[in-house]
Amino acid sequence: MSAALSGAVDLSALKARAEANRNQPQAPPAPAAGGEAGASGPPSDAVLEVTEATFQADVVERSLNQLVVVDLWAEWCGPCKQLSPVLERLAGEAGGAWVLAKVDVDANPRIAQLFGAQSIPTIVAIAGGQPVDAFSGALPEPEIRKWLGSLLDALRDRLPGIRAAEEARGPVEEPEDPRFTEAEEAFERGDYAAAQAAYERILDAEPANELAKNALAQVKFTARAESIDPSARAKAEADPKDLDAQLAAADLDIAEQDVEGAFRRLIDVVRRTAGDDRNRVREHLVALFELFDPADERVAKARRDLASALF
């Protein structure tokens, strides 16, 4: 949880006060930050104006079924006027997977005190009656979307409202990543250098991106395989000690779908070499493994055979 919240937070602390105030006349809800009273906005079931009297029902109890995102704001807060409209729009797009609970901290200071908010805007995610994450400040929309997506993924099995909203909405097509589109188009036109550079840029920004890693391995192999002299296999058969020919022949085997033959060829070379030569062949073989699903039985067997050849 963000440092915006200090100490343990027990939301039940407001319950007694809320129940005591339920029958008291309530002032009209304050307009949304950055908006005018009566202005049109997201659906009322997506954005709630919450007070101390309604907090128990609108936040605590509601969070037992769906994610509730509490927006602690004030009319005088400049960053709030930037952040609140973004949150309202995203809540309206969520289809009920989560709701936005807006709290004017000037009108409801006890709620701000409850969360120990040290600055505003402070945004708190509530699930199952308790805070699960928070941040403060006006984050860019992409970061907010990523934050919400992570929360919804983590809470899907705990909150039935998330599953129900997703089922009602149906499958959502992921927008194409222009970085991958650039790389794929370069690959399709045979510009392997451009494709490799595009995937490397993705990995520079996201080193753990498995899709880019796998695609880069495919690009490198394709570029290498297309440049191989078709006579490489004959050379490899004629001279088992010609490492260049053996490596090229293995690539040809892969390109022609003889995966097991390629692996077997290089494992045999590992068995009869040593030192730098053996390491070179091993690295080439491991790079070939990366072209396939790790669960592929051909890869699993070759890894076992390689370990036996090495040790």
Side-chain angles (χ1 to χ4, degrees):
M1 182 178 297
S2 165
L5 303 184
S6 59
V9 177
D10 181 5
L11 298 187
S12 62
L14 280 185
K15 184 175 181 179
R17 180 178 177 83
E19 290 177 347
N21 287 341
R22 281 189 194 278
N23 297 322
Q24 295 296 323
Q26 297 295 316
E36 299 295 334
S40 62
S44 59
D45 58 351
V47 180
L48 310 172
E49 298 288 350
V50 175
T51 66
E52 293 174 8
T54 63
F55 188 90
Q56 176 68 21
D58 284 346
V59 175
V60 179
E61 294 173 10
R62 187 181 291 263
S63 75
L64 301 177
N65 180 65
Q66 63 189 145
L67 176 65
V68 179
V69 176
V70 178
D71 176 11
L72 301 174
W73 68 280
E75 184 63 36
W76 48 264
C77 168
C80 297
K81 295 179 181 180
Q82 299 173 17
L83 179 62
S84 289
V86 174
L87 291 171
E88 291 171 9
R89 176 164 49 80
L90 295 180
E93 296 173 359
W98 64 278
V99 296
L100 180 66
K102 296 173 60 60
V103 177
D104 181 341
V105 298
D106 288 339
N108 302 277
R110 289 178 181 270
I111 296 178
Q113 292 169 9
L114 172 71
F115 287 116
Q118 299 172 4
S119 63
I120 57 171
T122 287
I123 310 302
V124 188
I126 311 294
Q130 291 296 325
V132 292
D133 204 356
F135 68 85
S136 60
L139 295 181
E141 182 173 332
E143 292 188 31
I144 298 171
R145 285 184 179 274
K146 184 176 180 180
W147 180 74
L148 287 167
S150 297
L151 286 170
L152 293 173
D153 286 344
L155 297 169
R156 184 176 291 108
D157 293 336
R158 290 174 49 190
L159 301 179
I162 296 176
R163 295 195 303 274
E166 291 177 346
E167 290 169 1
R169 188 166 58 238
V172 178
E173 276 192 31
E174 291 291 332
E176 289 188 7
D177 187 327
R179 302 172 303 169
F180 280 91
T181 301
E182 175 192 1
E184 290 160 5
E185 289 177 350
F187 181 81
E188 288 172 3
R189 65 176 182 265
D191 190 347
Y192 302 131
Q196 179 173 333
Y199 286 125
E200 287 174 344
R201 284 194 295 273
I202 296 173
L203 289 170
D204 285 342
E206 303 173 25
N209 191 312
E210 291 298 324
L211 184 58
K213 284 182 183 178
N214 294 337
L216 179 59
Q218 294 286 346
V219 169
K220 287 181 175 180
F221 172 78
T222 303
R224 190 172 72 235
E226 288 194 2
S227 66
I228 293 173
D229 184 339
S231 66
R233 186 177 287 111
K235 291 180 181 178
E237 298 300 331
D239 185 0
K241 294 182 180 179
D242 186 341
L243 291 190
D244 289 337
Q246 296 298 334
L247 299 181
D251 285 350
L252 284 177
D253 292 339
I254 293 289
E256 295 174 5
Q257 305 302 313
D258 185 6
V259 176
E260 292 169 315
F263 292 166
R264 185 168 55 249
R265 176 188 299 276
L266 294 186
I267 290 169
D268 288 343
V269 176
V270 167
R271 287 195 175 100
R272 61 176 182 260
T273 53
D276 291 342
D277 286 348
R278 170 182 275 198
N279 193 52
R280 180 185 172 197
V281 177
R282 179 191 62 79
E283 290 179 350
H284 193 96
L285 178 57
V286 170
L288 293 181
F289 290 161
E290 294 175 358
L291 300 174
F292 302 92
D293 186 329
D296 189 316
E297 179 54 34
R298 296 170 299 180
V299 174
K301 180 180 184 304
R303 287 189 181 278
R304 293 193 297 268
D305 291 344
L306 175 60
S308 175
L310 288 170
F311 305 105

